[in-house]
Amino acid sequence: MMTLSHPKGMYVLALTEVFERLSFYTLSFLLVLYASSPVSEHGLGWSKAEALTLGGLYTLAAYIFPIFGSLIADKFLGHFRSILLGGTIIMFGHFCMLFSANIIFLYIALFLIATGTAFFKPCIPALLGNLYKWNDKRRESGYCWYYCGINLGIMLAGVTGGLLLQEYGYHIALTSAGFGMALGIMIFYFGKKHLVFNSSKNINLKFQKEKISQVQNKALYMLIISIVFFSFWAVIYNLSASGTLSLFIEHHTQKTVFNYNIPVTFFSALEGLTIMVATPIITYYLSRRALKNKYPHFFSQMNFALFLCACALLYFTLLTLKFDVPAFMPKPLQYYEVALFLIIFSVSETIINPVIMSAISIIAPQNYKSFFQSIYLSCYGITGLIAAKIGSYAIEKPFYIYLFITIFMFCAALLYYIVKPKMIDLVEAAHREKKTILKQSAA
């Protein structure tokens, strides 16, 4: 009988990610606000455009560096040592933020955090994939729970970052993230007995070539196409989860409730809360479908997420019409309107991120799983810089910019829907071939 319980290692990795993401998103949520706040409020006093550019460059580095970190992890250090090294570097990077009023320390801190992320981030999803057999129906559900852990960290970052900012200012709020990373390192180290690491004999100084059949190669191309479509979604994520929406909330949203001014980071925490609520609902639905042998293919799940993202964008585009009505200015948006947009978009995030990580763990060659996870992560970095540029225009002409990206997302979702059946056929053919090879090797 099929069991839907998960390995203990999944919970270890999910809890490790809680505290790593707590540290990462505390900085992500506050960086643009910190850079754009006046010096009198202990900010850097930069312009909004300069602050968005800084946030975009940092995001780019934090998600591009893992391409190189993953190769070092896969071929030299191994996942265990890479995670411990990366976590330690991240921790010291956050501690440097205490002195970030000095620009040199700010740049050192951002460089250390991005470098540490390079070693840490791509290894965790790869280790999670090691806990499941390639055809295990629990795999995508496991990635959903793992992603729930990520978003618990995001929610905590929004709440603790906002409260510490109100009470103690930017420097203490930004530095506190280092203690979260320290907790993450401890959880990972003491929970390592529940994890599955690649044999040390497979880690050497020579790049091993893994034979890939023509059928498997075609499936790999389908994975790459899906990552391209994922990158379209990631542009919207960076517009929503990084500096652009934060500036909209800070300067153009009525967010006072019962004489309490809601911190901007609380809206970011709503993203994590939504995903935590949606995850058990989605995993329950998927488990029921699995028991009936009607489990939706991961490409179909991704397609639904793209359409849902486009719907969220359409809603926000309609909200921006109020920017052209003088009666609504200077704060045309209401806190509950922005919250609804974040909830709808976050449901799409709940679906698409675990799905793409699961697809990589299934399709990518064994010796390059961390590398492909880093390619997936690099989408956030590249699109972060693109989103920063789009955001600088969106602040000036929100309706026209959001209308354009809404139409683009609907077109992308429709195109993916058209090519999806052929993509599924090619991936399923690779699965059948892999199953045949495994049976032959076992005989």
Side-chain angles (χ1 to χ4, degrees), residues 87-139:
T88 303
I89 295 173
I90 290 171
M91 181 178 65
F92 283 108
H94 282 295
F95 292 155
C96 286
M97 290 300 294
L98 185 62
F99 312 102
S100 60
N102 184 317
I103 294 298
I104 294 176
F105 274 98
L106 173 67
Y107 291 145
I108 290 174
L110 295 179
F111 177 77
L112 287 175
I113 295 168
T115 301
T117 302
F119 291 105
F120 190 101
K121 187 60 181 171
C123 295
I124 297 287
L127 286 178
L128 182 58
N130 290 346
L131 298 174
Y132 301 95
K133 294 181 180 179
W134 71 273
N135 60 346
D136 194 329
K137 292 294 185 183
R138 301 174 300 166
R139 179 185 292 269

Side-chain angles (χ1 to χ4, degrees), residues 170-234:
Y170 283 108
H171 297 109
I172 296 298
L174 291 166
T175 302
S176 68
F179 296 100
M181 188 66 257
L183 284 173
I185 295 171
M186 292 173 60
I187 290 168
F188 175 76
Y189 181 80
F190 290 108
K192 64 181 183 293
K193 63 182 179 181
H194 300 297
L195 304 176
V196 178
F197 298 97
N198 291 333
S199 174
S200 59
K201 67 182 180 181
N202 292 329
I203 301 170
N204 51 54
L205 299 181
K206 295 182 180 180
F207 280 70
Q208 300 173 356
K209 290 186 178 180
E210 185 175 344
K211 292 183 179 179
I212 303 174
S213 71
Q214 187 176 4
V215 175
Q216 292 170 344
N217 204 39
K218 288 180 179 179
L220 194 58
Y221 285 133
M222 297 306 102
L223 174 63
I224 293 170
I225 290 172
S226 289
I227 291 174
V228 171
F229 278 91
F230 170 81
S231 69
F232 299 152
W233 177 91

Side-chain angles (χ1 to χ4, degrees), residues 22 25-31 33 153-174 176-177 250 255 260-270:
L22 167 64
Y25 277 97
T26 298
L27 175 58
S28 295
F29 292 157
L30 295 177
L31 182 58
L33 293 175
I154 293 174
M155 185 186 73
L156 291 174
V159 173
T160 59
L163 293 175
L164 288 171
L165 175 61
Q166 285 185 330
E167 292 294 325
Y168 303 105
Y170 283 108
H171 297 109
I172 296 298
L174 291 166
S176 68
E250 180 68 21
K255 54 188 180 68
Y260 179 71
N261 186 38
I262 303 172
V264 174
T265 57
F266 277 28
F267 289 87
S268 302
L270 179 62

Side-chain angles (χ1 to χ4, degrees), residues 418-438:
I418 294 171
V419 301
K420 179 186 65 176
K422 181 64 175 178
M423 295 172 64
I424 292 175
D425 288 343
L426 291 171
V427 169
E428 289 302 310
H431 284 182
R432 288 192 295 269
E433 182 186 71
K434 191 171 185 179
K435 189 175 182 179
T436 301
I437 293 172
L438 289 173

